[in-house]
């Protein structure tokens, strides 16, 4: 049970990271904008929390996919990671 929750947390972290990367490539369409440049600019402008929140959309896909496969413990781990990312987003937006 605990192993499945940990796997779900890792899946949630990976899904969120992939979502952030995809969205960063979407908004950084010019040649000179690399991933680190986009994220540093977003941090400086106070928009990194919004990018993380948008990246968390892929957690929905992972969550419902795991529920559909009957892997409730892993889906619980994805949900825990989504809640953790919500707290990170809240801290970034209010600091």
């Amino acid at each position: 049970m605990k192993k499945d929750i940990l796997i779900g947390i890792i899946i949630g972290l990976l899904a969120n990271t992939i979502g952030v990367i995809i969205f960063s490539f979407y908004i950084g369409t010019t040649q000179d904008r690399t991933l680190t440049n986009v994220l540093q600019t977003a941090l400086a402008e106070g928009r990194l929390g919004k990018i993380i929140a948008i990246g968390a959309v892929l957690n929905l896909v992972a969550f419902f996919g795991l529920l559909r496969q009957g892997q409730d413990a892993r889906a619980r781990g994805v949900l825990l990671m989504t809640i953790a990312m919500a707290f990170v987003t809240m801290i970034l937006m209010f600091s």
Side-chain angles (χ1 to χ4, degrees), residues 6-54:
L6 181 62
I7 291 171
I9 288 172
I10 293 169
I11 290 171
L13 183 62
L14 287 174
N16 201 343
T17 303
I18 291 169
V20 167
I21 291 170
I22 290 171
F23 186 71
S24 295
F25 283 136
Y26 175 73
I27 63 172
T29 56
T30 60
Q31 276 184 329
D32 59 339
R33 307 270 328 236
T34 61
L35 177 63
T36 56
N37 190 9
V38 169
L39 294 178
Q40 287 174 349
T41 304
L43 181 63
E45 294 177 355
R47 297 182 182 186
L48 185 60
K50 293 177 183 178
I51 292 175
I52 292 173
I54 291 172

